[in-house]
Amino acid sequence: MNNQVILECSDLHKIYTQGDNQLHILNGVSFKIKAGETIGIMGSSGSGKSTLLHVLAGLDKATSGEIILDNKRIQDLSDSQICKLRNLNLGFIYQFHHLLSEFTALENILMPLLIKGEGISKASKNLALDILGKLGLLKRQNHYPSQLSGGERQRVAIARAVINNPKIVFADEPTGNLDNQTGYQVLDIFFKLQEELHTSLVVVTHDVEVAQKTQTRYKLHNGQLTINN
Ligand code: ADP
Ligand code: MG
């Protein structure tokens, strides 16, 4: 791990307003993600973990505060510029796999390249197959999500998140929808892959065992992030 900061956020606030009610979900969150660093963010259900990840990944906007990704201030960018920056730098894994049901495993993995406007070259197909192999899914490349188990689907979602060689992968309770044994198997494969690819990883979880696999651990509570090592 070198010390290069890939993403830095300072004093992030996220407030949901509904009528007279204000929900202050993020209340001054500041932290840095360094190259190759693995970060675990713990917090109870409803504490704002998904909100924080979505804001960091440019999928949602903060009410105030600053995010610098790849030396660019996100709030200075247009939606399409954010989209491009995200596509080039970030991967995202959801609790529910969010695979497209009418596409095969291989096609799902290649989807970010299609969105980027790249055709599917032989090289990128080989890269996808290489990643599938590392995840133990080579024989499943032509299967549709409905033909895969929960753990297999989540591994396909992991492959899709890393196909663009992102600088940071965000994972929102990636094993929350799997039984414990399958969940830990998927995580072991995931962390091994992360080590090989040297991407930074931010994983949000309420599972202590998951968080323990990360180098830097935070707790999100009352809208604030504190170190929790
Ligand atoms: P976590 O992922 O930690 O379970 P979330 O980030 O999903 O928590 O949600 C944090 C809080 O913000 C919850 O109380 C939730 O109800 C609220 N919330 C999330 N999205 C919205 C929204 N679009 N409008 C209003 N409240 C929301
Ligand atoms: Mg959540």
Side-chain angles (χ1 to χ4, degrees):
M1 180 169 103
N2 65 36
N3 281 331
Q4 190 199 349
V5 173
I6 308 279
L7 185 149
E8 180 166 4
C9 68
S10 40
D11 203 23
L12 285 183
H13 289 256
K14 178 72 178 179
I15 302 168
Y16 291 115
T17 308
Q18 212 153 41
D20 291 341
N21 281 330
Q22 281 207 335
L23 283 171
H24 212 135
I25 304 300
L26 301 179
N27 194 2
V29 170
S30 308
F31 79 117
K32 293 175 188 174
I33 303 169
K34 292 177 193 156
E37 185 179 17
T38 56
I39 295 177
I41 298 178
M42 296 204 62
S44 50
S45 180
S47 59
K49 303 183 296 299
S50 296
T51 304
L52 176 60
L53 275 204
H54 291 163
V55 166
L56 292 177
L59 295 164
D60 194 1
K61 284 197 159 65
T63 310
S64 65
E66 186 176 77
I67 298 172
I68 297 174
L69 170 62
D70 199 26
N71 297 316
K72 295 174 194 76
R73 269 162 50 104
I74 286 203
Q75 63 263 51
D76 294 342
L77 305 177
S78 68
D79 285 350
S80 71
Q81 285 171 319
I82 292 175
C83 210
K84 200 166 162 205
L85 194 66
R86 191 169 60 226
N87 210 281
L88 285 175
N89 293 288
L90 308 178
F92 209 98
I93 300 163
Y94 298 88
Q95 178 173 1
F96 301 98
H97 53 85
H98 283 244
L99 297 175
L100 299 170
S101 59
E102 64 274 33
F103 293 95
T104 64
L106 183 61
E107 288 164 348
N108 266 287
I109 295 168
L110 291 168
M111 202 56 71
L113 300 178
L114 290 173
I115 292 169
K116 208 160 131 188
E118 279 182 14
I120 300 303
S121 66
K122 186 121 181 90
S124 50
K125 198 173 158 191
N126 283 339
L127 174 64
L129 291 173
D130 183 48
I131 295 170
L132 265 181
K134 286 181 175 142
L135 294 168
L137 283 177
L138 213 43
K139 288 185 178 158
R140 306 301 240 140
Q141 57 178 292
N142 294 319
H143 286 110
Y144 291 88
S146 63
Q147 299 170 313
L148 302 173
S149 72
E152 287 163 347
R153 280 180 212 149
Q154 211 52 333
R155 279 184 274 161
V156 173
I158 290 169
R160 180 183 56 183
V162 300
I163 188 76
N164 268 344
N165 194 22
K167 296 199 175 84
I168 309 172
V169 172
F170 293 100
D172 190 354
E173 305 203 40
T175 57
N177 197 33
L178 305 173
D179 63 76
N180 278 353
Q181 200 196 343
T182 309
Y184 295 138
Q185 275 169 4
V186 168
L187 272 179
D188 281 340
I189 297 173
F190 183 27
F191 275 84
K192 239 165 84 188
L193 186 66
Q194 182 273 335
E195 237 171 62
E196 256 180 69
L197 302 175
H198 300 294
T199 71
S200 308
L201 170 67
V202 182
V203 57
V204 145
T205 180
H206 56 247
D207 185 334
V208 182
E209 279 201 52
V210 175
Q212 261 160 8
K213 290 179 179 289
T214 59
Q215 296 159 340
T216 315
R217 292 188 278 277
Y218 294 96
K219 188 173 173 62
L220 184 62
H221 184 64
N222 288 337
Q224 299 197 321
L225 203 63
T226 48
I227 198 98
N228 189 34
N229 269 332

